Amino acid sequence: MRPLARTRHRNACAALALRWRGITSNDFGTLLGSNLRILKSIILQEGTGFAKVWMKSSKSLISYESGRIYFENYRCCYSSLTPQPQLLYELPKQSKAEKIEDSLLCQCPLVSDHVLPQASEQKPSLLALTANNWLYCLSADNGETLHKVYLSSRFKFRSLGWDISQETFYVKSIQHKQTVQARQAGVENNILMHLAIFKVFPLDVVGMLEINKKVFGKSTVDVLLSQGVLAVSHSSKCVKLYSFEYIVEKFRTRELVLGEQCDLYGPRGTVGEAPYGIPVNIQIKECPPVLFEVSYFDNGIQIGGHPWHYIHTPNHKRHRGTHHICSIRDGTLAKNGVQEMDCDSLEADWIFFHPDDSGRIIHAGPSTIKWAQLSLPLLFHTLYSQVTVTSSGRTVKRRFQQLDDDPGQETFKMVKYEDELDLLAIVDVSHTEDEGQANVRLHDNKNGALMKRISLKEPWDVVSIGSINNNHSGIAHFSYRCLILGISPDVLITY
């Protein structure tokens, strides 16, 4: 029997030398994969260090998306793909009513069923929602306004979300409160909120959906769209899922086209222009068929895995602190599917489906991280934080019971997945005698082995909201201060 072929791992220097001589593939995907493998080997090799290359503070939260860093409520945009971040654009200062409140980044898929009418629509763009109900489509490279849509003069919109990533998104209004005059007159308000749904590439409107408590129940408190499903949450700690496609087909009264005249339910106006906006064209008259229903104690539900499963905490006090992993087909509990974190801490543990679509589950707490393949039975592999070590190297032993997220202990703060390098980035914070020290631990995504540990040098502000992003040029820490760590310039590729 012929032995199995061994996987060849070409040395990074040899690969670059062959490329310099013109011996390389012309396939973009092959080249990208080769580049990422070389970069991964450089980052993980023992001699590679990281140094601070750039830092900038902000009075508002800093956002990051696909190599772009946003400051001042998305008014200023920097590229992080250069050796040092460079300013891409800076929008004019706006009044409080015109400031951007939420955004989504659109990146056109490489394969499209049709040619887009304008070349600018093939490039990345930023969908931006302003405080005065305007939806802008801005060029992600220079901030130029490509499209703008007025939503409504009647409803206040607050947030954006993807239904299907890079295909359809929705804009959600705030919850409608009953006015004092209506309450005194005995007029009952059953409209909870509105959702404006759009397609991208090119930008087009699906409709304005009205959420009525008479249809979904008096206990309805919130809704969202995800993967073509309308999820309705109730105050009774219950979630019900409905098909959005079914709702559109049965209850949409008229198709809308941006820029065209419309006289739906009142005076005539132009769809998407002020003051007309987007009229309500999806009014649900009767409750659609329920696809799925489950009750929960806290934190809602999550759906994912292969085959489809969901994670929730059953709505009973005795289940507090536990996570149940069940089949979405019949609700059957997976073997070893009840998970709890045995830890004493002020912060709650968190559990989620792995973002790499492998079907795995990650369960993390302040001192423990566990992960398992979604199979029968669930087998969890465990990673523990280290004992406390002072700056001089002295090990500190516990002489009394401490919290697992006690400032004197090393604690896990977050788990991020770097998809292109196939690494898990775990942030741990250990407190020395005077301040907190943050480290980024890079783990093998397949087996969890620790590959590298990188110190952030700067103190970790445990009060602010922080996040870590690997942006290929280094490590970036975001909260109210952006810190970029780049690969040290004196790094050599080892043979």
Side-chain angles (χ1 to χ4, degrees):
M1 182 177 178
R2 182 182 177 183
L4 295 176
R6 291 184 299 176
T7 303
R8 296 179 59 189
H9 296 283
R10 181 178 293 166
N11 178 276
C13 283
L16 292 175
L18 289 173
R19 187 179 301 178
W20 180 77
R21 292 161 56 189
I23 306 174
T24 183
S25 172
N26 292 323
D27 180 71
F28 175 79
T30 303
L31 282 174
L32 178 61
S34 175
N35 290 342
L36 292 175
R37 285 192 295 271
I38 293 173
L39 177 62
K40 183 176 180 179
S41 68
I42 295 174
I43 290 175
L44 296 181
Q45 75 178 28
E46 186 176 351
T48 301
F50 288 82
K52 182 173 72 173
V53 297
W54 193 76
M55 187 170 67
K56 182 177 173 63
S57 300
S58 174
K59 294 182 179 179
S60 57
L61 282 176
I62 302 169
S63 301
Y64 172 88
E65 187 71 38
S66 297
R68 296 173 177 85
I69 311 172
Y70 296 96
F71 294 87
E72 298 184 29
N73 297 312
Y74 306 97
R75 194 177 68 85
C76 300
C77 177
Y78 287 77
S79 170
S80 65
L81 301 180
T82 51
Q84 281 200 356
Q86 293 183 352
L87 181 66
L88 287 177
Y89 62 84
E90 182 175 342
L91 300 177
K93 289 187 177 181
Q94 305 288 354
S95 65
K96 186 177 180 180
E98 297 173 310
K99 76 171 185 177
I100 297 175
E101 294 191 330
D102 201 5
S103 73
L104 292 174
L105 183 65
C106 285
Q107 300 184 87
C108 183
L110 296 177
V111 179
S112 180
D113 295 334
H114 55 277
V115 178
L116 299 179
Q118 299 180 27
S120 59
E121 294 180 340
Q122 299 280 2
K123 298 180 180 180
S125 59
L126 185 74
L127 296 168
L129 174 65
T130 64
N132 56 357
N133 278 353
W134 279 94
L135 176 69
Y136 284 87
C137 181
L138 307 175
S139 168
D141 296 326
N142 55 30
E144 177 189 357
T145 299
L146 305 177
H147 303 283
K148 63 176 185 177
V149 177
Y150 186 68
L151 297 173
S152 176
S153 58
R154 299 167 54 201
F155 320 124
K156 165 62 179 172
F157 287 86
R158 178 63 53 82
S159 62
L160 295 167
W162 286 113
D163 171 20
I164 301 175
S165 181
Q166 306 301 325
E167 292 186 20
T168 56
F169 70 96
Y170 64 95
V171 193
K172 186 161 74 170
S173 75
I174 62 174
Q175 294 189 12
H176 305 320
K177 304 296 184 181
Q178 191 174 26
T179 63
V180 176
Q181 294 82 357
R183 190 181 300 111
Q184 292 175 347
V187 178
E188 190 175 11
N189 177 32
N190 291 301
I191 307 303
L192 177 68
M193 62 176 58
H194 287 81
L195 300 180
I197 303 95
F198 294 85
K199 293 181 180 179
V200 292
F201 309 123
L203 184 66
D204 195 12
V205 61
V206 175
M208 181 76 76
L209 171 64
E210 181 180 85
I211 304 299
N212 196 320
K213 289 185 178 181
K214 281 188 176 181
V215 175
F216 295 105
K218 294 291 185 182
S219 62
T220 304
V221 293
D222 199 7
V223 298
L224 61 83
L225 273 174
S226 178
Q227 300 299 315
V229 172
L230 180 70
V232 180
S233 300
H234 295 263
S235 58
S236 56
K237 298 294 184 68
C238 172
V239 173
K240 297 181 181 180
L241 307 184
Y242 306 89
S243 168
F244 182 63
E245 181 182 4
Y246 175 90
I247 291 173
V248 171
E249 289 180 354
K250 185 165 184 178
F251 300 108
R252 185 166 64 176
T253 56
R254 181 185 298 183
E255 292 189 17
L256 302 175
V257 179
L258 293 175
E260 290 193 358
Q261 292 289 305
C262 180
D263 58 357
L264 193 61
Y265 307 120
R268 192 175 185 84
T270 303
V271 177
E273 294 186 5
Y276 192 72
I278 309 295
V280 177
N281 67 330
I282 307 176
Q283 288 185 315
I284 305 176
K285 302 297 184 182
E286 58 187 33
C287 189
V290 178
L291 301 178
F292 177 74
E293 178 180 354
V294 66
S295 61
Y296 60 91
F297 184 80
D298 201 6
N299 298 328
I301 67 169
Q302 298 180 62
I303 298 176
H306 308 291
W308 289 102
H309 279 67
Y310 65 94
I311 303 173
H312 76 128
T313 300
N315 193 13
H316 197 281
K317 289 183 178 180
R318 71 173 183 269
H319 296 301
R320 175 182 291 180
T322 67
H323 305 278
H324 291 231
I325 304 163
C326 306
S327 169
I328 201 170
R329 181 176 62 181
D330 53 13
T332 304
L333 184 69
K335 195 170 182 179
N336 294 342
V338 179
Q339 291 298 314
E340 58 183 326
M341 188 68 68
D342 185 17
C343 62
D344 298 318
S345 65
L346 299 177
E347 297 182 7
D349 57 314
W350 65 100
I351 189 170
F352 55 94
F353 290 101
H354 199 303
D356 68 354
D357 293 330
S358 61
R360 290 181 294 171
I361 295 171
I362 296 179
H363 187 193
S367 62
T368 308
I369 296 176
K370 302 189 293 183
W371 61 94
Q373 185 66 43
L374 189 57
S375 58
L376 296 177
L378 286 172
L379 179 61
F380 277 80
H381 303 275
T382 307
L383 171 69
Y384 298 100
S385 63
Q386 300 175 354
V387 296
T388 303
V389 180
T390 66
S391 57
S392 61
R394 179 175 57 87
T395 301
V396 179
K397 296 181 180 180
R398 294 190 186 190
R399 297 188 182 277
F400 54 90
Q401 181 65 31
Q402 289 179 298
L403 295 176
D404 288 309
D405 56 355
D406 187 275
Q409 300 300 115
E410 178 186 271
T411 56
F412 296 129
K413 291 298 181 180
M414 65 182 63
V415 180
K416 301 278 288 187
Y417 174 58
E418 168 52 49
D419 57 344
E420 293 184 322
L421 299 180
D422 198 30
L423 292 171
L424 275 178
I426 299 174
V427 177
D428 68 63
V429 177
S430 55
H431 289 256
T432 58
E433 286 84 352
D434 51 355
E435 60 185 16
Q437 176 65 58
N439 303 283
V440 178
R441 304 157 55 129
L442 300 179
H443 290 257
D444 185 278
N445 185 47
K446 299 296 189 295
N447 56 31
L450 178 62
M451 309 297 289
K452 196 176 186 67
R453 186 183 178 99
I454 304 166
S455 174
L456 290 183
K457 304 294 184 185
E458 298 290 328
W460 179 270
D461 184 1
V462 296
V463 178
S464 67
I465 301 173
S467 66
I468 292 291
N469 290 90
N470 299 321
N471 63 359
H472 298 171
S473 63
I475 307 294
H477 169 214
F478 303 98
S479 53
Y480 290 93
R481 178 176 55 185
C482 174
L483 171 65
I484 304 292
L485 300 181
I487 297 175
S488 298
D490 56 348
V491 169
L492 297 176
I493 303 175
T494 57
Y495 285 90

